[in-house]
Amino acid sequence: QVQLVESGGGSVQAGGSLKLSCAASGYIFSSCGMGWYRQAPGKERELVSAISSDGTTSYTDSVKGRFTISQDNANNTLYLQMNSLKTEDTAVYYCAIWFYSGGYCNALDAWGQGTLVTVSS
């Protein structure tokens, strides 16, 4: 019932910018948060950023000050503005959505197919 489709990835030189989008559809009205994961070759998938239903945002330390997560509730679209990109940001980026479970916002429902971001020096 929930579908997530990422877009906006591509190749960019270090110091450049990209804006990722995640279009959500289906039954998402009761979601408690959405976010972005990424996975670089040979590394574990990590949570990059998240935004809760009340607008609270969080970021992993490596992207603080450079990335900004936002959500357009009217269009059910999640964004990740990425500035001052570094080569270490190269990864496949995935959108994810969470729902409440047992009083906690921790039930990962789905993530999309991913969009590749390649940053060159």
Side-chain angles (χ1 to χ4, degrees):
Q1 291 297 116
V2 178
Q3 296 83 40
L4 303 173
V5 180
E6 300 95 337
S7 63
S11 298
V12 64
Q13 292 185 323
S17 299
L18 284 173
K19 188 173 185 178
L20 306 184
S21 298
C22 171
S25 61
Y27 190 73
I28 62 173
F29 306 102
S30 61
S31 68
C32 55
M34 297 186 71
W36 293 93
Y37 285 84
R38 69 183 180 187
Q39 187 168 27
K43 301 189 69 175
E44 298 292 326
R45 184 174 297 186
E46 66 170 342
L47 179 62
V48 177
S49 182
I51 182 168
S52 65
S53 59
D54 66 0
T56 302
T57 59
S58 62
Y59 302 89
T60 191
D61 287 342
S62 64
V63 308
K64 288 181 179 177
R66 300 188 297 119
F67 291 9
T68 303
I69 190 170
S70 62
Q71 184 172 332
D72 184 341
N73 291 321
N75 295 312
N76 297 321
T77 304
L78 181 73
Y79 301 98
L80 185 67
Q81 178 66 52
M82 306 185 295
N83 298 326
S84 302
L85 283 162
K86 304 175 180 179
T87 56
E88 51 262 46
D89 295 318
T90 296
V92 177
Y93 285 72
Y94 300 89
C95 177
I97 186 169
W98 292 269
F99 294 87
Y100 284 110
S101 178
Y104 299 93
C105 181
N106 63 359
L108 179 63
D109 183 80
W111 55 69
Q113 298 298 309
T115 184
L116 177 63
V117 172
T118 302
V119 184
S120 60
S121 61

